[in-house]
Amino acid sequence: MRIEHTEILIIGAGPSGSVAAGLLRKQGRQVLIIEKEVFPRFSIGESLLPQSMEYIEAAGFLQDVIEAGFQYKNGAAFVRGEQTTAFDFRDKFSSGWGTTYQVQRGHFDHVLAKGAEKAGAVIRYQEQVTAIGMDGDQPLITVQSATETYQISARFLLDASGFGRILPRLLKLETPSDFPVRGAYFTHIEDRISKEGFDRNKILVSVHPDHHDVWFWTIPFSNGRCSQGVVARPEFLEQYQGSETERLQAIIAEVPTLSAVLKNAVWDTPARQLIGYSANVSSLHGKGYALLGNAGEFLDPVFSSGVTIAVKSAALAAAAIEREFAGEAVNWQSDYADPLKAGVDAFRAFVSSWYEGGFQDVIFHKDQSADVRRMISAILAGYAWDLNNPYVAQPKRLKTLEQLCVA
């Protein structure tokens, strides 16, 4: 079998893979990406967080993203029954980007991938990793293309395969998530949303009036379309009849505020279903490899943290590789996994509290402290690694805040 050699092999050309490639190319590293799909391809996770812009800029892709014509985003709006609130991410505790974009992921991911290629990374589309050998001095990856099966020996391997989770499956790293199983129905529609009372510069998160653990995303795009979805326990979703589109429409019909927003929408794309998306692994790294983004852990889509965690992991991994290739001793647990996990755990506290209802009570509370509101806004904007924020440094403080709001 033919064997190639490269410095860095990346599995997957999504945001974590492309951003990692851009950062590594700035170091002068040889980068090869194996991607099983053809871009552009559909993906969800369309509402970016401002923190992600720092890493997109560092990778050299900022101008490409700005010029792509995506929908500007400056915050998030929440609705629960008659209660409404909105956070402007420019008014936040942490310094850094306060704006970002709402993107069709097929186009966005392709923009980043082309940026990686422009930076000198090689991407091979429609090729699939089928086996991993970790017994030698370097990872040995078996790849299937349309014409042959061949192998690649790499000095370092990054798994950016997202929900494909190539290394967790092949190396048996998967462990159960501690989150309850949830599912989603979602689609893209021609929204025809009236400009009156609706801010296209913000994602809209709507809560079911009778089931507060059921919520809906409405993510407007720049072309008059939007991404629309619902998240709930599988048993809730399965009680509705018909196609995925009909079920999604039936659940939305139970939410007067969201029904009013979408009253003129054209449902021209069949809805899809995703069940049991939360995932975890026993380790984010091993000899000669590391897991990026969703390949390692995925929490929940409620605060749109997926892409931010993905590109943050890319930045941390690229920094560790730079030091390792320079001959420094790198502890991948303390230099990569622990820092990444710190931010993920901050997000986890807010996600768990959202479904338990406490965080919903906090964000809808009428008498929020301006300082606390800015701290919450920073985390909602993706700044879950800013240890100066008390709710990042000590996520358990959120429980105290919940109790104060209930009282």
Side-chain angles (χ1 to χ4, degrees):
M1 192 180 298
R2 181 172 65 85
I3 299 180
E4 293 185 22
H5 300 272
T6 189
E7 286 189 312
I8 311 293
L9 179 65
I10 301 175
I11 307 173
S16 63
S18 292
V19 167
L23 294 169
L24 290 163
R25 285 297 302 148
K26 286 193 170 185
Q27 299 173 18
R29 302 270 69 88
Q30 179 190 23
V31 179
L32 172 61
I33 302 178
I34 300 297
E35 169 56 54
K36 71 174 183 177
E37 304 286 352
V38 175
F39 279 27
R41 52 90 178 97
F42 180 83
S43 180
I44 56 172
E46 300 115 329
S47 193
L48 305 183
L49 302 183
Q51 168 77 102
S52 64
M53 301 300 291
E54 174 185 337
Y55 307 110
I56 291 169
E57 183 176 23
F61 306 152
L62 180 59
Q63 183 174 349
D64 298 320
V65 170
I66 290 174
E67 293 179 353
F70 297 118
Q71 172 66 47
Y72 174 81
K73 175 186 174 183
N74 61 22
F78 297 86
V79 178
R80 185 177 69 178
E82 298 300 317
Q83 298 174 293
T84 64
T85 190
F87 289 82
D88 188 323
F89 293 155
R90 295 165 295 185
D91 183 18
K92 65 185 187 312
F93 176 85
S94 304
S95 61
W97 283 81
T99 62
T100 184
Y101 297 96
Q102 297 177 149
V103 302
Q104 297 96 325
R105 281 288 302 279
H107 183 26
F108 174 73
D109 291 9
H110 200 197
V111 167
L112 297 189
K114 288 189 289 186
E117 288 181 301
K118 192 164 55 178
V122 174
I123 304 180
R124 294 178 184 165
Y125 292 99
Q126 290 187 288
E127 298 197 2
Q128 189 165 357
V129 173
T130 59
I132 305 285
M134 305 300 294
D135 297 331
D137 293 334
Q138 296 184 354
L140 186 63
I141 300 90
T142 303
V143 178
Q144 179 67 56
S145 73
T147 58
E148 66 169 333
T149 300
Y150 66 99
Q151 292 182 314
I152 303 170
S153 175
R155 284 185 64 185
F156 205 90
L157 173 63
L158 293 174
D159 185 355
S161 61
F163 289 119
R165 299 171 63 78
I166 299 299
L167 283 188
R169 287 191 296 103
L170 294 177
L171 300 182
K172 303 189 185 311
L173 301 173
E174 293 182 302
T175 60
S177 171
D178 56 3
F179 276 7
V181 175
R182 293 188 177 90
Y185 294 138
F186 54 91
T187 188
H188 286 182
I189 58 177
E190 181 184 340
D191 59 68
R192 299 189 181 182
I193 298 174
S194 169
K195 294 180 180 178
E196 292 247 346
F198 186 82
D199 186 354
R200 295 191 77 89
N201 296 334
K202 292 178 175 63
I203 180 176
L204 172 63
V205 176
S206 305
V207 181
H208 194 287
D210 301 318
H211 306 277
H212 289 180
D213 64 335
V214 178
W215 65 276
F216 306 78
W217 75 72
T218 305
I219 303 172
F221 299 136
S222 59
N223 60 356
R225 300 182 65 79
C226 78
S227 174
Q228 180 60 58
V230 61
V231 173
R233 296 284 192 100
E235 56 268 26
F236 179 89
L237 298 174
E238 290 165 3
Q239 66 182 320
Y240 296 87
Q241 303 298 314
S243 66
E244 283 84 357
T245 301
E246 291 167 333
R247 295 182 182 197
L248 176 56
Q249 290 173 316
I251 303 171
I252 289 173
E254 298 174 357
V255 187
T257 52
L258 185 55
S259 296
V261 168
L262 299 177
K263 64 182 179 180
N264 297 318
V266 178
W267 296 75
D268 53 7
T269 305
R272 306 186 188 200
Q273 179 181 14
L274 182 63
I275 298 291
Y277 43 72
S278 296
N280 207 343
V281 291
S282 57
S283 177
L284 289 170
H285 62 92
K287 180 186 176 184
Y289 74 86
L291 310 180
L292 305 182
N294 294 349
E297 181 171 7
F298 181 74
L299 297 174
D300 189 273
V302 64
F303 300 128
S304 307
S305 62
V307 171
T308 299
I309 292 172
V311 294
K312 174 68 174 183
S313 70
L316 287 170
I321 288 172
E322 182 174 30
R323 291 178 50 214
E324 189 166 289
F325 277 43
E328 297 182 37
V330 174
N331 184 321
W332 276 84
Q333 186 62 35
S334 60
D335 295 341
Y336 174 71
D338 290 345
L340 181 61
K341 188 176 184 296
V344 172
D345 285 347
F347 278 126
R348 185 194 310 279
F350 279 70
V351 171
S352 297
S353 180
W354 169 269
Y355 284 107
E356 292 165 2
F359 185 52
Q360 292 187 30
D361 292 337
V362 170
I363 66 171
F364 288 113
H365 198 270
K366 291 182 179 179
D367 301 316
Q368 293 172 346
S369 153
D371 288 340
V372 168
R373 186 174 176 84
R374 293 180 72 246
M375 292 172 189
I376 292 172
S377 182
I379 293 179
L380 294 177
Y383 291 88
W385 290 269
D386 179 7
L387 294 177
N388 293 314
N389 187 335
Y391 295 100
V392 173
Q394 298 181 45
K396 291 182 179 179
R397 285 175 178 258
L398 184 57
K399 287 294 181 185
T400 303
L401 184 59
E402 293 170 14
Q403 292 164 0
L404 289 173
C405 289
V406 171

